[in-house]
Amino acid sequence: MLHARKTEGEAVVATVELRFSALPEHVRTARLVAAAVARRAGVDEAVLDEVRLAVGEACTRAVGLHRANNADLPVCVFLIEGEKKFSIEVGEEAPSAPETAEDRAKVPSARADEEAMGHPGSAESGGAEDEGEMGLAVISGLVDDVEVIGGPGGGIIRMSWPANPAVELP
Amino acid sequence: MDLSLSTRTVGDRTVVEVGGEIDVYTAPKLREQLVELVNDGSYHLVVDMEGVDFLDSTGLGVLVGGLKRVRAHEGSLRLVCNQERILKIFRITGLTKVFPIHTSVDEAVAATD
C-alpha cells in the first residue's frame, strides 16, 4: 500500500504502511514486512536483526496498550524510505482508559508471571504499560536514533537507521 | 516459525530444548512449559536456546518468571546460548548478570553454583 501523509508540516511518503488488528499473532507479520522493506531500502544486513527486534518490540507494546485500553483500532506501522535513512513509525492509537486485571491477563508479560507468583502489590500498577517499558528499554538499547512522542496510552515510536539504497538501473 | 519445545532429563537437571521464535504470541507456550515443570517438581532447569531464531522482551519476561519460580524452590535456571544476536538482548537488558549462560548443554548440566 502506498500512502502519502504529513509529519510536522513536512510531506513524507510512507513506502509501506501496515495496519493490523491488535493481536499478538500479527506482530510476527510486522517484523517480517519491516525487515523486507528495510533490506530493500538498503539497510545493512548486519542491522536487520535490530530492525526486526525493534519493530517487534514497538508493535508488542502497541498491541498491549490497545488491548489494555479496549481500543478497537488497528496498530499502524509506517515504513519510510528516506534518502539516506530508513525510518519506522509505530502508532499507538489507544485512548487512555482505566485498565482492569482482566485486560492485563490478555497480554503475556513478565508482569503476568509476577502475579502468578503471588505478588499482589505488583498487580496494582499497569501491566501492559510495564511490559511496554521493558520493550522500550530494549528499543533504546538497540536503536541509536529513536524518539517516543506522545503521552501515556497513546503516541508514536519513531526509529531510524542509516540506509544506502542501491542505484536502480533503467 | 512457531515455537518448538522438548524436554529431557539429564541427571538431576531437566533440559528444555527451545526452537523457533519466542515473542508475544508464542511466549505463553514457553511459560506454560516452565510452570508445568516446576509444578511437577523439576527445580533445576537448563534452557537450551541454540535453536531459537528470535527472542524479544516478552520471552525475557517468561525466562525471568521461570527463574523466580525455580528459585522459590532453591532451584536453578541456566541458559545455553552461543548466538550473538540472542546474547545481545541479554546484554542490553543487563540479564547476563541474572542468568548463568553456558556454551553447551554439557557445561550447563555439569555446572554448580
Side-chain angles (χ1 to χ4, degrees):
Chain A
M1 281 194 295
L2 278 174
H3 278 260
R5 62 197 196 87
K6 286 178 184 272
T7 304
E8 291 170 7
E10 185 189 345
V12 174
V13 177
T15 311
V16 173
E17 182 183 330
L18 180 68
R19 288 173 188 269
F20 63 91
S21 310
L23 296 170
E25 52 264 49
H26 299 317
V27 172
R28 180 172 188 262
T29 305
R31 290 200 305 267
L32 295 175
V33 172
V37 179
R39 179 180 282 120
R40 224 200 82 82
V43 173
D44 197 290
E45 285 288 326
V47 187
L48 288 179
D49 276 337
E50 292 177 12
V51 173
R52 200 175 285 123
L53 181 56
V55 77
E57 294 291 355
C59 289
T60 297
R61 176 184 149 90
V63 167
L65 288 171
H66 279 226
R67 301 188 71 168
N69 292 320
N70 289 320
D72 193 20
L73 294 164
V75 173
C76 300
V77 183
F78 299 99
L79 308 167
I80 305 153
E81 270 187 59
E83 235 176 71
K84 286 189 175 172
K85 69 175 185 178
F86 171 71
S87 307
I88 299 180
E89 293 180 15
V90 179
E92 305 147 2
E93 297 181 34
S96 290
E99 188 187 352
T100 66
E102 191 188 340
D103 292 327
R104 284 198 295 274
K106 289 177 188 168
V107 177
S109 66
R111 169 72 53 194
D113 269 309
E114 285 172 20
E115 287 171 18
M117 287 290 286
H119 296 275
S122 63
E124 297 299 319
S125 56
E129 282 166 26
D130 283 4
E131 171 70 8
E133 293 310 309
M134 175 77 152
L136 272 186
V138 172
I139 292 170
S140 308
L142 276 179
V143 189
D144 294 333
D145 187 2
V146 59
E147 197 180 357
V148 182
I149 305 153
I156 296 172
I157 296 177
R158 184 181 294 157
M159 308 168 278
S160 63
W161 293 266
N164 295 299
V167 178
E168 286 188 26
L169 297 171
Chain B
M1 189 191 285
D2 210 349
L3 186 74
S4 67
L5 295 168
S6 67
T7 61
R8 66 181 191 277
T9 306
V10 182
D12 67 339
R13 311 287 168 101
T14 302
V15 179
V16 184
E17 200 173 303
V18 190
E21 300 186 343
I22 311 175
D23 72 355
V24 66
Y25 180 53
T26 60
K29 275 177 68 178
L30 177 59
R31 177 188 290 121
E32 282 168 24
Q33 175 76 84
L34 296 179
V35 169
E36 196 180 306
L37 286 170
V38 174
N39 287 347
D40 291 347
S42 301
Y43 304 139
H44 291 282
L45 306 179
V46 172
V47 179
D48 179 1
M49 304 190 58
E50 284 299 271
V52 173
D53 301 312
F54 181 86
L55 173 75
D56 73 1
S57 63
T58 323
L60 292 178
V62 167
L63 292 172
V64 171
L67 182 65
K68 287 174 68 173
R69 282 187 172 83
V70 294
R71 279 191 177 167
H73 298 277
E74 294 176 359
S76 62
L77 192 155
R78 296 173 181 280
L79 303 177
V80 177
C81 183
N82 291 294
Q83 300 185 69
E84 185 50 37
R85 62 180 174 177
I86 304 289
L87 290 170
K88 184 175 183 178
I89 305 163
F90 285 97
R91 271 201 296 273
I92 61 175
T93 51
L95 289 173
T96 44
K97 293 175 188 139
V98 176
F99 291 103
I101 301 178
H102 300 273
T103 55
S104 71
V105 171
D106 287 346
E107 184 189 298
V109 166
T112 52
D113 286 324

mmCIF file with all atom_site columns, all heavy atoms in Angstrom, chain B residues 6 9-11 16 24-25 31-32 35 43 51 63-65 68 77 80 84 97 106 110 112-113:
data_model
loop_
_atom_site.group_PDB
_atom_site.id
_atom_site.type_symbol
_atom_site.label_atom_id
_atom_site.label_alt_id
_atom_site.label_comp_id
_atom_site.label_asym_id
_atom_site.label_entity_id
_atom_site.label_seq_id
_atom_site.pdbx_PDB_ins_code
_atom_site.Cartn_x
_atom_site.Cartn_y
_atom_site.Cartn_z
_atom_site.occupancy
_atom_site.B_iso_or_equiv
_atom_site.pdbx_formal_charge
_atom_site.auth_seq_id
_atom_site.auth_comp_id
_atom_site.auth_asym_id
_atom_site.auth_atom_id
_atom_site.pdbx_PDB_model_num
ATOM 1   N N   . SER B 1 6   ? 10.915 -29.220 23.647 1.00 0.00 ? 6   SER B N   1
ATOM 2   C CA  . SER B 1 6   ? 11.033 -30.630 24.055 1.00 0.00 ? 6   SER B CA  1
ATOM 3   C C   . SER B 1 6   ? 11.847 -30.672 25.338 1.00 0.00 ? 6   SER B C   1
ATOM 4   O O   . SER B 1 6   ? 12.703 -29.816 25.574 1.00 0.00 ? 6   SER B O   1
ATOM 5   C CB  . SER B 1 6   ? 11.683 -31.460 22.957 1.00 0.00 ? 6   SER B CB  1
ATOM 6   O OG  . SER B 1 6   ? 13.020 -31.073 22.781 1.00 0.00 ? 6   SER B OG  1
ATOM 7   N N   . THR B 1 9   ? 15.574 -35.405 30.617 1.00 0.00 ? 9   THR B N   1
ATOM 8   C CA  . THR B 1 9   ? 16.222 -35.360 31.926 1.00 0.00 ? 9   THR B CA  1
ATOM 9   C C   . THR B 1 9   ? 17.667 -35.818 31.809 1.00 0.00 ? 9   THR B C   1
ATOM 10  O O   . THR B 1 9   ? 17.955 -36.836 31.166 1.00 0.00 ? 9   THR B O   1
ATOM 11  C CB  . THR B 1 9   ? 15.465 -36.269 32.917 1.00 0.00 ? 9   THR B CB  1
ATOM 12  O OG1 . THR B 1 9   ? 14.095 -35.873 32.911 1.00 0.00 ? 9   THR B OG1 1
ATOM 13  C CG2 . THR B 1 9   ? 16.005 -36.120 34.322 1.00 0.00 ? 9   THR B CG2 1
ATOM 14  N N   . VAL B 1 10  ? 18.571 -35.057 32.375 1.00 0.00 ? 10  VAL B N   1
ATOM 15  C CA  . VAL B 1 10  ? 19.986 -35.430 32.427 1.00 0.00 ? 10  VAL B CA  1
ATOM 16  C C   . VAL B 1 10  ? 20.404 -35.326 33.889 1.00 0.00 ? 10  VAL B C   1
ATOM 17  O O   . VAL B 1 10  ? 20.554 -34.228 34.423 1.00 0.00 ? 10  VAL B O   1
ATOM 18  C CB  . VAL B 1 10  ? 20.860 -34.500 31.554 1.00 0.00 ? 10  VAL B CB  1
ATOM 19  C CG1 . VAL B 1 10  ? 22.322 -34.949 31.589 1.00 0.00 ? 10  VAL B CG1 1
ATOM 20  C CG2 . VAL B 1 10  ? 20.353 -34.432 30.121 1.00 0.00 ? 10  VAL B CG2 1
ATOM 21  N N   . GLY B 1 11  ? 20.566 -36.469 34.535 1.00 0.00 ? 11  GLY B N   1
ATOM 22  C CA  . GLY B 1 11  ? 20.875 -36.461 35.972 1.00 0.00 ? 11  GLY B CA  1
ATOM 23  C C   . GLY B 1 11  ? 19.736 -35.803 36.741 1.00 0.00 ? 11  GLY B C   1
ATOM 24  O O   . GLY B 1 11  ? 18.577 -36.176 36.567 1.00 0.00 ? 11  GLY B O   1
ATOM 25  N N   . VAL B 1 16  ? 15.366 -28.167 28.719 1.00 0.00 ? 16  VAL B N   1
ATOM 26  C CA  . VAL B 1 16  ? 14.261 -27.742 27.855 1.00 0.00 ? 16  VAL B CA  1
ATOM 27  C C   . VAL B 1 16  ? 14.882 -27.214 26.571 1.00 0.00 ? 16  VAL B C   1
ATOM 28  O O   . VAL B 1 16  ? 15.590 -26.204 26.579 1.00 0.00 ? 16  VAL B O   1
ATOM 29  C CB  . VAL B 1 16  ? 13.423 -26.621 28.516 1.00 0.00 ? 16  VAL B CB  1
ATOM 30  C CG1 . VAL B 1 16  ? 12.226 -26.250 27.642 1.00 0.00 ? 16  VAL B CG1 1
ATOM 31  C CG2 . VAL B 1 16  ? 12.970 -27.026 29.909 1.00 0.00 ? 16  VAL B CG2 1
ATOM 32  N N   . VAL B 1 24  ? 5.647  -12.284 21.596 1.00 0.00 ? 24  VAL B N   1
ATOM 33  C CA  . VAL B 1 24  ? 4.415  -12.034 22.346 1.00 0.00 ? 24  VAL B CA  1
ATOM 34  C C   . VAL B 1 24  ? 3.350  -13.104 22.089 1.00 0.00 ? 24  VAL B C   1
ATOM 35  O O   . VAL B 1 24  ? 2.517  -13.382 22.939 1.00 0.00 ? 24  VAL B O   1
ATOM 36  C CB  . VAL B 1 24  ? 3.896  -10.608 22.033 1.00 0.00 ? 24  VAL B CB  1
ATOM 37  C CG1 . VAL B 1 24  ? 3.472  -10.491 20.564 1.00 0.00 ? 24  VAL B CG1 1
ATOM 38  C CG2 . VAL B 1 24  ? 2.752  -10.202 22.940 1.00 0.00 ? 24  VAL B CG2 1
ATOM 39  N N   . TYR B 1 25  ? 3.427  -13.743 20.912 1.00 0.00 ? 25  TYR B N   1
ATOM 40  C CA  . TYR B 1 25  ? 2.437  -14.754 20.569 1.00 0.00 ? 25  TYR B CA  1
ATOM 41  C C   . TYR B 1 25  ? 2.804  -16.133 21.117 1.00 0.00 ? 25  TYR B C   1
ATOM 42  O O   . TYR B 1 25  ? 1.955  -16.866 21.619 1.00 0.00 ? 25  TYR B O   1
ATOM 43  C CB  . TYR B 1 25  ? 2.284  -14.808 19.037 1.00 0.00 ? 25  TYR B CB  1
ATOM 44  C CG  . TYR B 1 25  ? 1.273  -15.821 18.550 1.00 0.00 ? 25  TYR B CG  1
ATOM 45  C CD1 . TYR B 1 25  ? -0.023 -15.836 19.043 1.00 0.00 ? 25  TYR B CD1 1
ATOM 46  C CD2 . TYR B 1 25  ? 1.622  -16.753 17.583 1.00 0.00 ? 25  TYR B CD2 1
ATOM 47  C CE1 . TYR B 1 25  ? -0.951 -16.767 18.595 1.00 0.00 ? 25  TYR B CE1 1
ATOM 48  C CE2 . TYR B 1 25  ? 0.701  -17.687 17.125 1.00 0.00 ? 25  TYR B CE2 1
ATOM 49  C CZ  . TYR B 1 25  ? -0.577 -17.685 17.640 1.00 0.00 ? 25  TYR B CZ  1
ATOM 50  O OH  . TYR B 1 25  ? -1.485 -18.611 17.198 1.00 0.00 ? 25  TYR B OH  1
ATOM 51  N N   . ARG B 1 31  ? 6.057  -20.305 28.777 1.00 0.00 ? 31  ARG B N   1
ATOM 52  C CA  . ARG B 1 31  ? 5.704  -20.082 30.182 1.00 0.00 ? 31  ARG B CA  1
ATOM 53  C C   . ARG B 1 31  ? 4.969  -21.311 30.752 1.00 0.00 ? 31  ARG B C   1
ATOM 54  O O   . ARG B 1 31  ? 5.302  -21.797 31.829 1.00 0.00 ? 31  ARG B O   1
ATOM 55  C CB  . ARG B 1 31  ? 4.819  -18.851 30.332 1.00 0.00 ? 31  ARG B CB  1
ATOM 56  C CG  . ARG B 1 31  ? 4.372  -18.657 31.798 1.00 0.00 ? 31  ARG B CG  1
ATOM 57  C CD  . ARG B 1 31  ? 3.355  -17.563 31.959 1.00 0.00 ? 31  ARG B CD  1
ATOM 58  N NE  . ARG B 1 31  ? 3.962  -16.264 31.726 1.00 0.00 ? 31  ARG B NE  1
ATOM 59  C CZ  . ARG B 1 31  ? 3.579  -15.419 30.802 1.00 0.00 ? 31  ARG B CZ  1
ATOM 60  N NH1 . ARG B 1 31  ? 2.587  -15.711 30.001 1.00 0.00 ? 31  ARG B NH1 1
ATOM 61  N NH2 . ARG B 1 31  ? 4.177  -14.268 30.677 1.00 0.00 ? 31  ARG B NH2 1
ATOM 62  N N   . GLU B 1 32  ? 4.006  -21.809 29.981 1.00 0.00 ? 32  GLU B N   1
ATOM 63  C CA  . GLU B 1 32  ? 3.249  -22.987 30.424 1.00 0.00 ? 32  GLU B CA  1
ATOM 64  C C   . GLU B 1 32  ? 4.175  -24.168 30.679 1.00 0.00 ? 32  GLU B C   1
ATOM 65  O O   . GLU B 1 32  ? 4.029  -24.883 31.666 1.00 0.00 ? 32  GLU B O   1
ATOM 66  C CB  . GLU B 1 32  ? 2.213  -23.390 29.368 1.00 0.00 ? 32  GLU B CB  1
ATOM 67  C CG  . GLU B 1 32  ? 0.964  -22.522 29.377 1.00 0.00 ? 32  GLU B CG  1
ATOM 68  C CD  . GLU B 1 32  ? 0.107  -22.764 28.137 1.00 0.00 ? 32  GLU B CD  1
ATOM 69  O OE1 . GLU B 1 32  ? 0.199  -23.865 27.535 1.00 0.00 ? 32  GLU B OE1 1
ATOM 70  O OE2 . GLU B 1 32  ? -0.641 -21.844 27.760 1.00 0.00 ? 32  GLU B OE2 1
ATOM 71  N N   . VAL B 1 35  ? 6.199  -23.556 33.880 1.00 0.00 ? 35  VAL B N   1
ATOM 72  C CA  . VAL B 1 35  ? 5.321  -23.674 35.054 1.00 0.00 ? 35  VAL B CA  1
ATOM 73  C C   . VAL B 1 35  ? 5.024  -25.143 35.339 1.00 0.00 ? 35  VAL B C   1
ATOM 74  O O   . VAL B 1 35  ? 5.085  -25.595 36.483 1.00 0.00 ? 35  VAL B O   1
ATOM 75  C CB  . VAL B 1 35  ? 4.008  -22.887 34.821 1.00 0.00 ? 35  VAL B CB  1
ATOM 76  C CG1 . VAL B 1 35  ? 2.976  -23.212 35.900 1.00 0.00 ? 35  VAL B CG1 1
ATOM 77  C CG2 . VAL B 1 35  ? 4.275  -21.379 34.799 1.00 0.00 ? 35  VAL B CG2 1
ATOM 78  N N   . TYR B 1 43  ? 13.167 -28.581 39.537 1.00 0.00 ? 43  TYR B N   1
ATOM 79  C CA  . TYR B 1 43  ? 13.612 -27.258 40.010 1.00 0.00 ? 43  TYR B CA  1
ATOM 80  C C   . TYR B 1 43  ? 14.977 -26.851 39.460 1.00 0.00 ? 43  TYR B C   1
ATOM 81  O O   . TYR B 1 43  ? 15.426 -25.736 39.714 1.00 0.00 ? 43  TYR B O   1
ATOM 82  C CB  . TYR B 1 43  ? 13.654 -27.237 41.545 1.00 0.00 ? 43  TYR B CB  1
ATOM 83  C CG  . TYR B 1 43  ? 12.335 -27.603 42.191 1.00 0.00 ? 43  TYR B CG  1
ATOM 84  C CD1 . TYR B 1 43  ? 12.298 -28.420 43.317 1.00 0.00 ? 43  TYR B CD1 1
ATOM 85  C CD2 . TYR B 1 43  ? 11.124 -27.130 41.676 1.00 0.00 ? 43  TYR B CD2 1
ATOM 86  C CE1 . TYR B 1 43  ? 11.093 -28.755 43.919 1.00 0.00 ? 43  TYR B CE1 1
ATOM 87  C CE2 . TYR B 1 43  ? 9.919  -27.469 42.257 1.00 0.00 ? 43  TYR B CE2 1
ATOM 88  C CZ  . TYR B 1 43  ? 9.904  -28.284 43.372 1.00 0.00 ? 43  TYR B CZ  1
ATOM 89  O OH  . TYR B 1 43  ? 8.708  -28.619 43.951 1.00 0.00 ? 43  TYR B OH  1
ATOM 90  N N   . GLY B 1 51  ? 18.475 -23.348 19.313 1.00 0.00 ? 51  GLY B N   1
ATOM 91  C CA  . GLY B 1 51  ? 17.582 -23.402 18.149 1.00 0.00 ? 51  GLY B CA  1
ATOM 92  C C   . GLY B 1 51  ? 16.633 -22.204 18.068 1.00 0.00 ? 51  GLY B C   1
ATOM 93  O O   . GLY B 1 51  ? 15.708 -22.192 17.249 1.00 0.00 ? 51  GLY B O   1
ATOM 94  N N   . LEU B 1 63  ? 11.389 -16.018 30.838 1.00 0.00 ? 63  LEU B N   1
ATOM 95  C CA  . LEU B 1 63  ? 12.573 -16.646 31.431 1.00 0.00 ? 63  LEU B CA  1
ATOM 96  C C   . LEU B 1 63  ? 12.806 -16.130 32.859 1.00 0.00 ? 63  LEU B C   1
ATOM 97  O O   . LEU B 1 63  ? 13.139 -16.904 33.757 1.00 0.00 ? 63  LEU B O   1
ATOM 98  C CB  . LEU B 1 63  ? 13.805 -16.388 30.557 1.00 0.00 ? 63  LEU B CB  1
ATOM 99  C CG  . LEU B 1 63  ? 13.798 -17.091 29.199 1.00 0.00 ? 63  LEU B CG  1
ATOM 100 C CD1 . LEU B 1 63  ? 14.954 -16.610 28.334 1.00 0.00 ? 63  LEU B CD1 1
ATOM 101 C CD2 . LEU B 1 63  ? 13.873 -18.613 29.372 1.00 0.00 ? 63  LEU B CD2 1
ATOM 102 N N   . VAL B 1 64  ? 12.614 -14.826 33.046 1.00 0.00 ? 64  VAL B N   1
ATOM 103 C CA  . VAL B 1 64  ? 12.752 -14.259 34.396 1.00 0.00 ? 64  VAL B CA  1
ATOM 104 C C   . VAL B 1 64  ? 11.694 -14.873 35.320 1.00 0.00 ? 64  VAL B C   1
ATOM 105 O O   . VAL B 1 64  ? 11.987 -15.235 36.465 1.00 0.00 ? 64  VAL B O   1
ATOM 106 C CB  . VAL B 1 64  ? 12.626 -12.718 34.366 1.00 0.00 ? 64  VAL B CB  1
ATOM 107 C CG1 . VAL B 1 64  ? 12.539 -12.149 35.775 1.00 0.00 ? 64  VAL B CG1 1
ATOM 108 C CG2 . VAL B 1 64  ? 13.803 -12.098 33.630 1.00 0.00 ? 64  VAL B CG2 1
ATOM 109 N N   . GLY B 1 65  ? 10.483 -15.039 34.809 1.00 0.00 ? 65  GLY B N   1
ATOM 110 C CA  . GLY B 1 65  ? 9.415  -15.678 35.585 1.00 0.00 ? 65  GLY B CA  1
ATOM 111 C C   . GLY B 1 65  ? 9.794  -17.107 35.974 1.00 0.00 ? 65  GLY B C   1
ATOM 112 O O   . GLY B 1 65  ? 9.571  -17.539 37.105 1.00 0.00 ? 65  GLY B O   1
ATOM 113 N N   . LYS B 1 68  ? 12.371 -17.060 38.750 1.00 0.00 ? 68  LYS B N   1
ATOM 114 C CA  . LYS B 1 68  ? 11.757 -16.771 40.050 1.00 0.00 ? 68  LYS B CA  1
ATOM 115 C C   . LYS B 1 68  ? 11.077 -18.025 40.621 1.00 0.00 ? 68  LYS B C   1
ATOM 116 O O   . LYS B 1 68  ? 11.153 -18.289 41.815 1.00 0.00 ? 68  LYS B O   1
ATOM 117 C CB  . LYS B 1 68  ? 10.729 -15.642 39.899 1.00 0.00 ? 68  LYS B CB  1
ATOM 118 C CG  . LYS B 1 68  ? 11.382 -14.290 39.693 1.00 0.00 ? 68  LYS B CG  1
ATOM 119 C CD  . LYS B 1 68  ? 10.387 -13.224 39.401 1.00 0.00 ? 68  LYS B CD  1
ATOM 120 C CE  . LYS B 1 68  ? 9.503  -12.908 40.593 1.00 0.00 ? 68  LYS B CE  1
ATOM 121 N NZ  . LYS B 1 68  ? 8.640  -11.743 40.320 1.00 0.00 ? 68  LYS B NZ  1
ATOM 122 N N   . LEU B 1 77  ? 18.067 -22.003 37.073 1.00 0.00 ? 77  LEU B N   1
ATOM 123 C CA  . LEU B 1 77  ? 17.700 -21.972 35.657 1.00 0.00 ? 77  LEU B CA  1
ATOM 124 C C   . LEU B 1 77  ? 18.909 -21.459 34.886 1.00 0.00 ? 77  LEU B C   1
ATOM 125 O O   . LEU B 1 77  ? 19.346 -20.324 35.083 1.00 0.00 ? 77  LEU B O   1
ATOM 126 C CB  . LEU B 1 77  ? 16.484 -21.059 35.422 1.00 0.00 ? 77  LEU B CB  1
ATOM 127 C CG  . LEU B 1 77  ? 15.823 -21.177 34.036 1.00 0.00 ? 77  LEU B CG  1
ATOM 128 C CD1 . LEU B 1 77  ? 14.365 -20.762 34.084 1.00 0.00 ? 77  LEU B CD1 1
ATOM 129 C CD2 . LEU B 1 77  ? 16.549 -20.348 32.986 1.00 0.00 ? 77  LEU B CD2 1
ATOM 130 N N   . VAL B 1 80  ? 21.587 -22.019 27.724 1.00 0.00 ? 80  VAL B N   1
ATOM 131 C CA  . VAL B 1 80  ? 22.643 -22.392 26.782 1.00 0.00 ? 80  VAL B CA  1
ATOM 132 C C   . VAL B 1 80  ? 22.433 -21.570 25.532 1.00 0.00 ? 80  VAL B C   1
ATOM 133 O O   . VAL B 1 80  ? 21.359 -21.632 24.914 1.00 0.00 ? 80  VAL B O   1
ATOM 134 C CB  . VAL B 1 80  ? 22.597 -23.902 26.437 1.00 0.00 ? 80  VAL B CB  1
ATOM 135 C CG1 . VAL B 1 80  ? 23.652 -24.239 25.391 1.00 0.00 ? 80  VAL B CG1 1
ATOM 136 C CG2 . VAL B 1 80  ? 22.788 -24.750 27.685 1.00 0.00 ? 80  VAL B CG2 1
ATOM 137 N N   . GLU B 1 84  ? 25.132 -14.725 18.924 1.00 0.00 ? 84  GLU B N   1
ATOM 138 C CA  . GLU B 1 84  ? 25.413 -13.335 19.288 1.00 0.00 ? 84  GLU B CA  1
ATOM 139 C C   . GLU B 1 84  ? 24.152 -12.475 19.296 1.00 0.00 ? 84  GLU B C   1
ATOM 140 O O   . GLU B 1 84  ? 23.947 -11.658 20.186 1.00 0.00 ? 84  GLU B O   1
ATOM 141 C CB  . GLU B 1 84  ? 26.448 -12.763 18.305 1.00 0.00 ? 84  GLU B CB  1
ATOM 142 C CG  . GLU B 1 84  ? 26.922 -11.369 18.643 1.00 0.00 ? 84  GLU B CG  1
ATOM 143 C CD  . GLU B 1 84  ? 27.369 -11.200 20.097 1.00 0.00 ? 84  GLU B CD  1
ATOM 144 O OE1 . GLU B 1 84  ? 27.983 -12.135 20.679 1.00 0.00 ? 84  GLU B OE1 1
ATOM 145 O OE2 . GLU B 1 84  ? 27.073 -10.138 20.675 1.00 0.00 ? 84  GLU B OE2 1
ATOM 146 N N   . LYS B 1 97  ? 23.713 -10.709 33.942 1.00 0.00 ? 97  LYS B N   1
ATOM 147 C CA  . LYS B 1 97  ? 24.113 -10.782 35.353 1.00 0.00 ? 97  LYS B CA  1
ATOM 148 C C   . LYS B 1 97  ? 23.120 -11.615 36.157 1.00 0.00 ? 97  LYS B C   1
ATOM 149 O O   . LYS B 1 97  ? 23.356 -11.955 37.305 1.00 0.00 ? 97  LYS B O   1
ATOM 150 C CB  . LYS B 1 97  ? 24.183 -9.371  35.940 1.00 0.00 ? 97  LYS B CB  1
ATOM 151 C CG  . LYS B 1 97  ? 25.293 -8.540  35.339 1.00 0.00 ? 97  LYS B CG  1
ATOM 152 C CD  . LYS B 1 97  ? 25.245 -7.123  35.868 1.00 0.00 ? 97  LYS B CD  1
ATOM 153 C CE  . LYS B 1 97  ? 26.241 -6.259  35.117 1.00 0.00 ? 97  LYS B CE  1
ATOM 154 N NZ  . LYS B 1 97  ? 25.723 -4.941  34.814 1.00 0.00 ? 97  LYS B NZ  1
ATOM 155 N N   . ASP B 1 106 ? 26.168 -29.712 27.980 1.00 0.00 ? 106 ASP B N   1
ATOM 156 C CA  . ASP B 1 106 ? 27.025 -30.483 28.883 1.00 0.00 ? 106 ASP B CA  1
ATOM 157 C C   . ASP B 1 106 ? 27.595 -29.586 29.988 1.00 0.00 ? 106 ASP B C   1
ATOM 158 O O   . ASP B 1 106 ? 27.613 -29.957 31.161 1.00 0.00 ? 106 ASP B O   1
ATOM 159 C CB  . ASP B 1 106 ? 28.180 -31.133 28.101 1.00 0.00 ? 106 ASP B CB  1
ATOM 160 C CG  . ASP B 1 106 ? 27.685 -32.289 27.248 1.00 0.00 ? 106 ASP B CG  1
ATOM 161 O OD1 . ASP B 1 106 ? 26.541 -32.735 27.462 1.00 0.00 ? 106 ASP B OD1 1
ATOM 162 O OD2 . ASP B 1 106 ? 28.437 -32.732 26.361 1.00 0.00 ? 106 ASP B OD2 1
ATOM 163 N N   . ALA B 1 110 ? 26.702 -29.786 33.997 1.00 0.00 ? 110 ALA B N   1
ATOM 164 C CA  . ALA B 1 110 ? 27.778 -30.066 34.948 1.00 0.00 ? 110 ALA B CA  1
ATOM 165 C C   . ALA B 1 110 ? 27.965 -28.921 35.950 1.00 0.00 ? 110 ALA B C   1
ATOM 166 O O   . ALA B 1 110 ? 28.594 -29.112 36.997 1.00 0.00 ? 110 ALA B O   1
ATOM 167 C CB  . ALA B 1 110 ? 29.079 -30.305 34.187 1.00 0.00 ? 110 ALA B CB  1
ATOM 168 N N   . THR B 1 112 ? 27.759 -26.108 38.798 1.00 0.00 ? 112 THR B N   1
ATOM 169 C CA  . THR B 1 112 ? 27.168 -25.930 40.128 1.00 0.00 ? 112 THR B CA  1
ATOM 170 C C   . THR B 1 112 ? 27.518 -24.522 40.584 1.00 0.00 ? 112 THR B C   1
ATOM 171 O O   . THR B 1 112 ? 28.494 -23.940 40.122 1.00 0.00 ? 112 THR B O   1
ATOM 172 C CB  . THR B 1 112 ? 27.742 -26.941 41.144 1.00 0.00 ? 112 THR B CB  1
ATOM 173 O OG1 . THR B 1 112 ? 29.162 -26.856 41.080 1.00 0.00 ? 112 THR B OG1 1
ATOM 174 C CG2 . THR B 1 112 ? 27.273 -28.354 40.859 1.00 0.00 ? 112 THR B CG2 1
ATOM 175 N N   . ASP B 1 113 ? 26.709 -23.982 41.469 1.00 0.00 ? 113 ASP B N   1
ATOM 176 C CA  . ASP B 1 113 ? 26.948 -22.593 41.899 1.00 0.00 ? 113 ASP B CA  1
ATOM 177 C C   . ASP B 1 113 ? 28.142 -22.504 42.841 1.00 0.00 ? 113 ASP B C   1
ATOM 178 O O   . ASP B 1 113 ? 28.480 -23.429 43.515 1.00 0.00 ? 113 ASP B O   1
ATOM 179 C CB  . ASP B 1 113 ? 25.707 -22.043 42.600 1.00 0.00 ? 113 ASP B CB  1
ATOM 180 C CG  . ASP B 1 113 ? 24.633 -21.745 41.565 1.00 0.00 ? 113 ASP B CG  1
ATOM 181 O OD1 . ASP B 1 113 ? 25.004 -21.306 40.467 1.00 0.00 ? 113 ASP B OD1 1
ATOM 182 O OD2 . ASP B 1 113 ? 23.451 -21.994 41.849 1.00 0.00 ? 113 ASP B OD2 1
#
